[in-house]
Amino acid sequence: LDPNSSVLSNLFPHPFAIPTAYGMIKFASMEAFFRCLCLDNNTIDAIYDLANLSGMDAYRVRHALIDWRDTQQVFWNGSFIERESEEYKELLKNAYDTMFECNPLFRMALKKTKGKILMHTMGETNPKNTLLTPNEYMEMLNRERDRL
């Protein structure tokens, strides 16, 4: 296990801010961003509460949120987005790009993986059951590493 792998995790506290329909929202981690996608008709207070979470705190709260799998839609900026749409893929790219730009530790960990194959063998592989498959996660990390 590479020691850089925990720094590349969505659970790691890499803060980043994204402009939203509610104003600029600062997320404590990528996991917090994913949890906010599971709020429908959300209030700004609920978004801020979730956005401030990182690590396992952000991961564990998933059981208290709506099950987006029922509709295959997430909620972002006041609208529903199909999980397997191009709009969703662009949203992910924007979030990862922003996190990349805001976190030198994330970039440094990615840089240390140059010339290595990134793998993630845990997690659900069917996009109908997860907000980010291992393949999508590796695609995002490789995409960001290519920016270095």
PDB file of all heavy atoms in Angstrom, residues 56-76:
ATOM      1  N   MET A  56     -14.472   9.748   7.549  1.00  0.00           N
ATOM      2  CA  MET A  56     -15.562   8.810   7.781  1.00  0.00           C
ATOM      3  C   MET A  56     -16.840   9.504   8.235  1.00  0.00           C
ATOM      4  O   MET A  56     -17.926   8.970   8.029  1.00  0.00           O
ATOM      5  CB  MET A  56     -15.131   7.745   8.794  1.00  0.00           C
ATOM      6  CG  MET A  56     -14.092   6.770   8.243  1.00  0.00           C
ATOM      7  SD  MET A  56     -14.570   5.978   6.674  1.00  0.00           S
ATOM      8  CE  MET A  56     -15.866   4.891   7.234  1.00  0.00           C
ATOM      9  N   ASP A  57     -16.733  10.697   8.818  1.00  0.00           N
ATOM     10  CA  ASP A  57     -17.941  11.433   9.194  1.00  0.00           C
ATOM     11  C   ASP A  57     -18.787  11.726   7.954  1.00  0.00           C
ATOM     12  O   ASP A  57     -20.005  11.553   7.968  1.00  0.00           O
ATOM     13  CB  ASP A  57     -17.596  12.744   9.903  1.00  0.00           C
ATOM     14  CG  ASP A  57     -17.028  12.527  11.287  1.00  0.00           C
ATOM     15  OD1 ASP A  57     -17.244  11.445  11.871  1.00  0.00           O
ATOM     16  OD2 ASP A  57     -16.357  13.441  11.786  1.00  0.00           O
ATOM     17  N   ALA A  58     -18.145  12.143   6.901  1.00  0.00           N
ATOM     18  CA  ALA A  58     -18.861  12.413   5.646  1.00  0.00           C
ATOM     19  C   ALA A  58     -19.399  11.120   5.045  1.00  0.00           C
ATOM     20  O   ALA A  58     -20.520  11.082   4.544  1.00  0.00           O
ATOM     21  CB  ALA A  58     -17.933  13.112   4.653  1.00  0.00           C
ATOM     22  N   TYR A  59     -18.630  10.083   5.108  1.00  0.00           N
ATOM     23  CA  TYR A  59     -19.048   8.794   4.529  1.00  0.00           C
ATOM     24  C   TYR A  59     -20.244   8.212   5.286  1.00  0.00           C
ATOM     25  O   TYR A  59     -21.203   7.746   4.684  1.00  0.00           O
ATOM     26  CB  TYR A  59     -17.871   7.823   4.547  1.00  0.00           C
ATOM     27  CG  TYR A  59     -18.192   6.473   3.972  1.00  0.00           C
ATOM     28  CD1 TYR A  59     -18.346   6.298   2.606  1.00  0.00           C
ATOM     29  CD2 TYR A  59     -18.346   5.367   4.802  1.00  0.00           C
ATOM     30  CE1 TYR A  59     -18.647   5.062   2.067  1.00  0.00           C
ATOM     31  CE2 TYR A  59     -18.641   4.124   4.276  1.00  0.00           C
ATOM     32  CZ  TYR A  59     -18.787   3.975   2.913  1.00  0.00           C
ATOM     33  OH  TYR A  59     -19.085   2.744   2.396  1.00  0.00           O
ATOM     34  N   ARG A  60     -20.198   8.238   6.598  1.00  0.00           N
ATOM     35  CA  ARG A  60     -21.240   7.608   7.418  1.00  0.00           C
ATOM     36  C   ARG A  60     -22.604   8.278   7.287  1.00  0.00           C
ATOM     37  O   ARG A  60     -23.628   7.626   7.461  1.00  0.00           O
ATOM     38  CB  ARG A  60     -20.819   7.608   8.881  1.00  0.00           C
ATOM     39  CG  ARG A  60     -19.791   6.565   9.187  1.00  0.00           C
ATOM     40  CD  ARG A  60     -19.518   6.504  10.694  1.00  0.00           C
ATOM     41  NE  ARG A  60     -18.330   5.717  10.925  1.00  0.00           N
ATOM     42  CZ  ARG A  60     -17.166   6.206  11.329  1.00  0.00           C
ATOM     43  NH1 ARG A  60     -17.040   7.506  11.563  1.00  0.00           N
ATOM     44  NH2 ARG A  60     -16.133   5.422  11.502  1.00  0.00           N
ATOM     45  N   VAL A  61     -22.637   9.537   6.970  1.00  0.00           N
ATOM     46  CA  VAL A  61     -23.913  10.260   6.920  1.00  0.00           C
ATOM     47  C   VAL A  61     -24.774   9.803   5.730  1.00  0.00           C
ATOM     48  O   VAL A  61     -25.964  10.084   5.682  1.00  0.00           O
ATOM     49  CB  VAL A  61     -23.670  11.786   6.901  1.00  0.00           C
ATOM     50  CG1 VAL A  61     -23.219  12.256   5.536  1.00  0.00           C
ATOM     51  CG2 VAL A  61     -24.891  12.536   7.360  1.00  0.00           C
ATOM     52  N   ARG A  62     -24.192   9.038   4.816  1.00  0.00           N
ATOM     53  CA  ARG A  62     -24.931   8.609   3.626  1.00  0.00           C
ATOM     54  C   ARG A  62     -26.222   7.877   3.966  1.00  0.00           C
ATOM     55  O   ARG A  62     -27.194   7.938   3.223  1.00  0.00           O
ATOM     56  CB  ARG A  62     -24.040   7.768   2.714  1.00  0.00           C
ATOM     57  CG  ARG A  62     -23.785   6.370   3.203  1.00  0.00           C
ATOM     58  CD  ARG A  62     -22.659   5.682   2.420  1.00  0.00           C
ATOM     59  NE  ARG A  62     -22.491   4.305   2.799  1.00  0.00           N
ATOM     60  CZ  ARG A  62     -21.958   3.875   3.936  1.00  0.00           C
ATOM     61  NH1 ARG A  62     -21.539   4.754   4.829  1.00  0.00           N
ATOM     62  NH2 ARG A  62     -21.852   2.591   4.194  1.00  0.00           N
ATOM     63  N   HIS A  63     -26.263   7.184   5.088  1.00  0.00           N
ATOM     64  CA  HIS A  63     -27.457   6.428   5.474  1.00  0.00           C
ATOM     65  C   HIS A  63     -28.616   7.321   5.899  1.00  0.00           C
ATOM     66  O   HIS A  63     -29.758   6.888   5.897  1.00  0.00           O
ATOM     67  CB  HIS A  63     -27.116   5.445   6.599  1.00  0.00           C
ATOM     68  CG  HIS A  63     -26.134   4.400   6.182  1.00  0.00           C
ATOM     69  ND1 HIS A  63     -26.375   3.488   5.178  1.00  0.00           N
ATOM     70  CD2 HIS A  63     -24.879   4.135   6.623  1.00  0.00           C
ATOM     71  CE1 HIS A  63     -25.330   2.704   5.024  1.00  0.00           C
ATOM     72  NE2 HIS A  63     -24.397   3.078   5.886  1.00  0.00           N
ATOM     73  N   ALA A  64     -28.313   8.558   6.236  1.00  0.00           N
ATOM     74  CA  ALA A  64     -29.355   9.492   6.676  1.00  0.00           C
ATOM     75  C   ALA A  64     -29.923  10.313   5.517  1.00  0.00           C
ATOM     76  O   ALA A  64     -30.872  11.069   5.708  1.00  0.00           O
ATOM     77  CB  ALA A  64     -28.793  10.424   7.746  1.00  0.00           C
ATOM     78  N   LEU A  65     -29.354  10.159   4.331  1.00  0.00           N
ATOM     79  CA  LEU A  65     -29.765  10.964   3.174  1.00  0.00           C
ATOM     80  C   LEU A  65     -30.688  10.170   2.263  1.00  0.00           C
ATOM     81  O   LEU A  65     -30.852   8.963   2.417  1.00  0.00           O
ATOM     82  CB  LEU A  65     -28.513  11.414   2.415  1.00  0.00           C
ATOM     83  CG  LEU A  65     -27.507  12.212   3.247  1.00  0.00           C
ATOM     84  CD1 LEU A  65     -26.235  12.437   2.463  1.00  0.00           C
ATOM     85  CD2 LEU A  65     -28.116  13.517   3.709  1.00  0.00           C
ATOM     86  N   ILE A  66     -31.258  10.870   1.288  1.00  0.00           N
ATOM     87  CA  ILE A  66     -32.137  10.175   0.344  1.00  0.00           C
ATOM     88  C   ILE A  66     -31.341   9.134  -0.426  1.00  0.00           C
ATOM     89  O   ILE A  66     -30.134   9.269  -0.622  1.00  0.00           O
ATOM     90  CB  ILE A  66     -32.814  11.145  -0.649  1.00  0.00           C
ATOM     91  CG1 ILE A  66     -31.775  11.826  -1.541  1.00  0.00           C
ATOM     92  CG2 ILE A  66     -33.699  12.139   0.042  1.00  0.00           C
ATOM     93  CD1 ILE A  66     -32.355  12.365  -2.822  1.00  0.00           C
ATOM     94  N   ASP A  67     -32.014   8.106  -0.864  1.00  0.00           N
ATOM     95  CA  ASP A  67     -31.373   7.081  -1.668  1.00  0.00           C
ATOM     96  C   ASP A  67     -31.575   7.437  -3.139  1.00  0.00           C
ATOM     97  O   ASP A  67     -32.606   7.144  -3.730  1.00  0.00           O
ATOM     98  CB  ASP A  67     -31.959   5.710  -1.359  1.00  0.00           C
ATOM     99  CG  ASP A  67     -31.150   4.583  -1.964  1.00  0.00           C
ATOM    100  OD1 ASP A  67     -30.265   4.860  -2.813  1.00  0.00           O
ATOM    101  OD2 ASP A  67     -31.400   3.426  -1.601  1.00  0.00           O
ATOM    102  N   TRP A  68     -30.592   8.115  -3.692  1.00  0.00           N
ATOM    103  CA  TRP A  68     -30.651   8.592  -5.069  1.00  0.00           C
ATOM    104  C   TRP A  68     -30.803   7.429  -6.050  1.00  0.00           C
ATOM    105  O   TRP A  68     -31.235   7.614  -7.186  1.00  0.00           O
ATOM    106  CB  TRP A  68     -29.396   9.405  -5.407  1.00  0.00           C
ATOM    107  CG  TRP A  68     -28.175   8.558  -5.312  1.00  0.00           C
ATOM    108  CD1 TRP A  68     -27.405   8.339  -4.213  1.00  0.00           C
ATOM    109  CD2 TRP A  68     -27.620   7.744  -6.337  1.00  0.00           C
ATOM    110  NE1 TRP A  68     -26.412   7.453  -4.487  1.00  0.00           N
ATOM    111  CE2 TRP A  68     -26.516   7.067  -5.790  1.00  0.00           C
ATOM    112  CE3 TRP A  68     -27.946   7.508  -7.675  1.00  0.00           C
ATOM    113  CZ2 TRP A  68     -25.745   6.168  -6.513  1.00  0.00           C
ATOM    114  CZ3 TRP A  68     -27.176   6.628  -8.407  1.00  0.00           C
ATOM    115  CH2 TRP A  68     -26.091   5.974  -7.831  1.00  0.00           C
ATOM    116  N   ARG A  69     -30.446   6.214  -5.615  1.00  0.00           N
ATOM    117  CA  ARG A  69     -30.509   5.044  -6.506  1.00  0.00           C
ATOM    118  C   ARG A  69     -31.934   4.762  -6.962  1.00  0.00           C
ATOM    119  O   ARG A  69     -32.144   4.187  -8.027  1.00  0.00           O
ATOM    120  CB  ARG A  69     -29.903   3.824  -5.829  1.00  0.00           C
ATOM    121  CG  ARG A  69     -28.407   4.000  -5.560  1.00  0.00           C
ATOM    122  CD  ARG A  69     -27.836   2.859  -4.779  1.00  0.00           C
ATOM    123  NE  ARG A  69     -28.482   2.824  -3.458  1.00  0.00           N
ATOM    124  CZ  ARG A  69     -28.191   1.966  -2.503  1.00  0.00           C
ATOM    125  NH1 ARG A  69     -27.262   1.047  -2.708  1.00  0.00           N
ATOM    126  NH2 ARG A  69     -28.807   1.996  -1.347  1.00  0.00           N
ATOM    127  N   ASP A  70     -32.915   5.173  -6.163  1.00  0.00           N
ATOM    128  CA  ASP A  70     -34.314   4.945  -6.543  1.00  0.00           C
ATOM    129  C   ASP A  70     -34.670   5.668  -7.837  1.00  0.00           C
ATOM    130  O   ASP A  70     -35.439   5.157  -8.651  1.00  0.00           O
ATOM    131  CB  ASP A  70     -35.256   5.413  -5.424  1.00  0.00           C
ATOM    132  CG  ASP A  70     -35.105   4.596  -4.152  1.00  0.00           C
ATOM    133  OD1 ASP A  70     -34.606   3.452  -4.206  1.00  0.00           O
ATOM    134  OD2 ASP A  70     -35.476   5.121  -3.082  1.00  0.00           O
ATOM    135  N   THR A  71     -34.140   6.857  -8.021  1.00  0.00           N
ATOM    136  CA  THR A  71     -34.460   7.662  -9.205  1.00  0.00           C
ATOM    137  C   THR A  71     -33.303   7.751 -10.194  1.00  0.00           C
ATOM    138  O   THR A  71     -33.499   8.211 -11.317  1.00  0.00           O
ATOM    139  CB  THR A  71     -34.821   9.102  -8.796  1.00  0.00           C
ATOM    140  OG1 THR A  71     -33.692   9.694  -8.156  1.00  0.00           O
ATOM    141  CG2 THR A  71     -36.042   9.118  -7.879  1.00  0.00           C
ATOM    142  N   GLN A  72     -32.091   7.355  -9.746  1.00  0.00           N
ATOM    143  CA  GLN A  72     -30.871   7.489 -10.545  1.00  0.00           C
ATOM    144  C   GLN A  72     -30.568   8.952 -10.846  1.00  0.00           C
ATOM    145  O   GLN A  72     -29.986   9.291 -11.874  1.00  0.00           O
ATOM    146  CB  GLN A  72     -30.942   6.667 -11.840  1.00  0.00           C
ATOM    147  CG  GLN A  72     -30.940   5.173 -11.620  1.00  0.00           C
ATOM    148  CD  GLN A  72     -29.639   4.708 -10.973  1.00  0.00           C
ATOM    149  OE1 GLN A  72     -28.566   4.889 -11.513  1.00  0.00           O
ATOM    150  NE2 GLN A  72     -29.738   4.113  -9.786  1.00  0.00           N
ATOM    151  N   GLN A  73     -30.973   9.821  -9.914  1.00  0.00           N
ATOM    152  CA  GLN A  73     -30.727  11.250 -10.047  1.00  0.00           C
ATOM    153  C   GLN A  73     -30.102  11.791  -8.761  1.00  0.00           C
ATOM    154  O   GLN A  73     -30.432  11.348  -7.672  1.00  0.00           O
ATOM    155  CB  GLN A  73     -32.030  12.010 -10.296  1.00  0.00           C
ATOM    156  CG  GLN A  73     -32.708  11.667 -11.590  1.00  0.00           C
ATOM    157  CD  GLN A  73     -34.020  12.405 -11.723  1.00  0.00           C
ATOM    158  OE1 GLN A  73     -34.707  12.696 -10.749  1.00  0.00           O
ATOM    159  NE2 GLN A  73     -34.374  12.737 -12.958  1.00  0.00           N
ATOM    160  N   VAL A  74     -29.218  12.769  -8.952  1.00  0.00           N
ATOM    161  CA  VAL A  74     -28.672  13.514  -7.823  1.00  0.00           C
ATOM    162  C   VAL A  74     -29.214  14.926  -7.923  1.00  0.00           C
ATOM    163  O   VAL A  74     -29.791  15.318  -8.941  1.00  0.00           O
ATOM    164  CB  VAL A  74     -27.125  13.492  -7.821  1.00  0.00           C
ATOM    165  CG1 VAL A  74     -26.607  12.070  -7.672  1.00  0.00           C
ATOM    166  CG2 VAL A  74     -26.545  14.150  -9.063  1.00  0.00           C
ATOM    167  N   PHE A  75     -29.011  15.697  -6.869  1.00  0.00           N
ATOM    168  CA  PHE A  75     -29.541  17.053  -6.830  1.00  0.00           C
ATOM    169  C   PHE A  75     -28.387  18.027  -6.699  1.00  0.00           C
ATOM    170  O   PHE A  75     -27.573  17.928  -5.787  1.00  0.00           O
ATOM    171  CB  PHE A  75     -30.490  17.192  -5.627  1.00  0.00           C
ATOM    172  CG  PHE A  75     -31.362  18.408  -5.683  1.00  0.00           C
ATOM    173  CD1 PHE A  75     -32.435  18.467  -6.553  1.00  0.00           C
ATOM    174  CD2 PHE A  75     -31.119  19.484  -4.855  1.00  0.00           C
ATOM    175  CE1 PHE A  75     -33.260  19.581  -6.599  1.00  0.00           C
ATOM    176  CE2 PHE A  75     -31.932  20.606  -4.885  1.00  0.00           C
ATOM    177  CZ  PHE A  75     -33.003  20.656  -5.760  1.00  0.00           C
ATOM    178  N   TRP A  76     -28.300  18.962  -7.645  1.00  0.00           N
ATOM    179  CA  TRP A  76     -27.221  19.940  -7.629  1.00  0.00           C
ATOM    180  C   TRP A  76     -27.725  21.254  -8.170  1.00  0.00           C
ATOM    181  O   TRP A  76     -28.363  21.301  -9.225  1.00  0.00           O
ATOM    182  CB  TRP A  76     -26.038  19.444  -8.461  1.00  0.00           C
ATOM    183  CG  TRP A  76     -24.900  20.401  -8.478  1.00  0.00           C
ATOM    184  CD1 TRP A  76     -24.496  21.175  -9.532  1.00  0.00           C
ATOM    185  CD2 TRP A  76     -24.019  20.718  -7.393  1.00  0.00           C
ATOM    186  NE1 TRP A  76     -23.427  21.942  -9.167  1.00  0.00           N
ATOM    187  CE2 TRP A  76     -23.108  21.677  -7.854  1.00  0.00           C
ATOM    188  CE3 TRP A  76     -23.928  20.293  -6.077  1.00  0.00           C
ATOM    189  CZ2 TRP A  76     -22.119  22.218  -7.041  1.00  0.00           C
ATOM    190  CZ3 TRP A  76     -22.931  20.823  -5.276  1.00  0.00           C
ATOM    191  CH2 TRP A  76     -22.036  21.768  -5.767  1.00  0.00           C
TER     192      TRP A  76
END
